[in-house]
Amino acid sequence: MPFEPGDLVVLIDRRGGRHLLRLTEGKERIGKVGVVDTGSLIGQEDGTVIHIGSASLTALSPTVLDKVAAIHRKAQIILPRDAALIALHADVKAGDHVVEGGAGSGALSIVLLHLLRPGGRLVTYEVRADHAQVAQSNVERAGLCDNHEIHIGNIASDIAETDVDSTILDVPEPWEAVPACHEALAPGGRFVSYSPTIGQVEKTHEALKGYEMADIRTFEVLERELVVGKRGTRPSFEMLGHTGYITAARKLA
Ligand SMILES: C[S@@+](CC[C@H](N)C(=O)[O-])C[C@H]1O[C@@H](n2cnc3c(N)ncnc32)[C@H](O)[C@@H]1O
């Protein structure tokens, strides 16, 4: 499909730098690359290469990874490697009703919203108004705000939703929110929590067992990029050794 006015486009430069922008008839300055006439992309096919002076840029429709990479960060975000497994364990799909604890910068919200559309709904609880505002503007910029509500509130005490398909937590004390998540979930509903430390995982397991949640498991995701070169291919030296642990469980009837 050719690009239309208002479409989000990611421009990838020669060094792999990615620049997310919305197409208008005007011009836009892109970092050190220069001024791009975004209007000239309207009507062009996805994957078009444009030239600014000696630089060339590839214009592509953005993936959800591009949208997450472009967010403004206020709090530590969940990286795509963890978001992928969180979404799989929560089994997030079109039409789902999901409750999330801890908006942060909205990175995980963007991934969840991408998966639950069309028809689904994400309700995020965030205790800090400044974080909620940043997350909301990042979700808006990603063009995914239609199915999203953010409430200023504590996930451990303020959930108003019932019969939800999954509850997903990225908060420092997830065990405190287990009773509220249990109450909100439909029978068979999925609980997923992300925590950086083992102590948090142990307390969360303890709380889940107390609420008769089943199939309780914890995972860690490790990701290592390969650098492919003419002289040889090797793992990147820049592997991020640790992010967090993902705990998943199901609500019993
Ligand atoms: C690490 S950040 C979440 C990052 C987010 N998942 C992302 O990918 O951008 C944790 C957030 O949880 C919020 N928070 C902490 N305790 C909370 C609670 N009990 N209920 C709701 N939000 C909470 C913090 O203010 C913070 O914004």
Side-chain angles (χ1 to χ4, degrees), residues 71 74-79 100-109 124-128 130-132 135 151 153-157 169-173 176-177 194:
I71 68 171
K74 181 81 177 173
Q76 182 62 43
I77 70 163
I78 285 187
L79 295 180
E100 179 190 24
S105 308
L108 182 61
S109 308
T124 305
Y125 288 86
E126 168 57 58
V127 284
R128 284 182 55 165
D130 56 338
H131 286 189
H151 299 298
N154 188 330
I155 189 75
S157 52
L169 305 178
D170 179 13
V171 294
E173 281 127 11
E176 289 187 354
Y194 171 88

Side-chain angles (χ1 to χ4, degrees), residues 20 63-73 77-80 106-108 110-111 142:
L20 188 73
T63 64
V64 68
L65 292 178
D66 294 318
K67 292 177 181 178
V68 170
I71 68 171
H72 297 126
R73 295 187 187 195
I77 70 163
I78 285 187
L79 295 180
L108 182 61
I110 288 172
V111 174

Side-chain angles (χ1 to χ4, degrees), residues 109-166:
S109 308
I110 288 172
V111 174
L112 300 175
L113 284 160
H114 174 76
L115 294 170
L116 58 72
R117 298 186 339 153
R121 193 156 73 96
L122 175 68
V123 181
T124 305
Y125 288 86
E126 168 57 58
V127 284
R128 284 182 55 165
D130 56 338
H131 286 189
Q133 203 177 4
V134 169
Q136 194 157 27
S137 93
N138 280 328
V139 167
E140 267 168 31
R141 207 159 145 257
L144 292 165
C145 57
D146 286 354
N147 306 60
H148 194 207
E149 285 170 38
I150 297 193
H151 299 298
I152 309 294
N154 188 330
I155 189 75
S157 52
D158 296 328
I159 305 182
E161 290 67 29
T162 52
D163 228 20
V164 305
D165 297 298
S166 53

Side-chain angles (χ1 to χ4, degrees), residues 12-236:
I12 304 176
D13 64 39
R14 224 174 7 192
R15 292 201 175 103
R18 303 169 104 82
H19 316 273
L20 188 73
L21 51 91
R22 197 170 283 284
L23 289 188
T24 62
E25 298 290 350
K27 297 186 176 183
E28 194 160 327
R29 170 161 284 285
I30 297 184
K32 291 179 185 158
V33 178
V35 176
V36 176
D37 177 6
T38 65
S40 70
L41 280 169
I42 293 167
Q44 301 288 329
E45 286 295 335
D46 202 340
T48 295
V49 178
I50 57 170
H51 301 276
I52 311 170
S54 60
S56 58
L57 294 164
T58 308
L60 290 161
S61 53
T63 64
V64 68
L65 292 178
D66 294 318
K67 292 177 181 178
V68 170
I71 68 171
H72 297 126
R73 295 187 187 195
K74 181 81 177 173
Q76 182 62 43
I77 70 163
I78 285 187
L79 295 180
R81 73 185 201 195
D82 293 311
L85 205 68
I86 289 169
L88 280 178
H89 278 282
D91 197 28
V92 179
K93 57 196 170 300
D96 270 11
H97 184 186
V98 179
V99 171
E100 179 190 24
S105 308
L108 182 61
S109 308
I110 288 172
V111 174
L112 300 175
L113 284 160
H114 174 76
L115 294 170
L116 58 72
R117 298 186 339 153
R121 193 156 73 96
L122 175 68
V123 181
T124 305
Y125 288 86
E126 168 57 58
V127 284
R128 284 182 55 165
D130 56 338
H131 286 189
Q133 203 177 4
V134 169
Q136 194 157 27
S137 93
N138 280 328
V139 167
E140 267 168 31
R141 207 159 145 257
L144 292 165
C145 57
D146 286 354
N147 306 60
H148 194 207
E149 285 170 38
I150 297 193
H151 299 298
I152 309 294
N154 188 330
I155 189 75
S157 52
D158 296 328
I159 305 182
E161 290 67 29
T162 52
D163 228 20
V164 305
D165 297 298
S166 53
T167 57
I168 301 177
L169 305 178
D170 179 13
V171 294
E173 281 127 11
W175 57 93
E176 289 187 354
V178 166
C181 291
H182 181 267
E183 177 81 18
L185 282 168
R190 285 85 62 187
F191 169 97
V192 183
S193 174
Y194 171 88
S195 296
T197 72
I198 287 173
Q200 290 168 305
V201 170
E202 288 170 344
K203 286 183 178 171
T204 306
H205 269 247
E206 206 52 41
L208 289 166
K209 284 181 199 148
Y211 272 82
E212 296 187 352
M213 301 283 283
D215 202 15
I216 308 170
R217 291 180 287 169
T218 295
F219 307 87
E220 181 176 17
V221 184
L222 303 177
E223 180 188 57
R224 195 163 63 154
E225 188 162 4
L226 285 191
V227 179
V228 180
K230 279 188 185 147
R231 289 197 206 142
T233 295
R234 57 162 176 81
S236 161

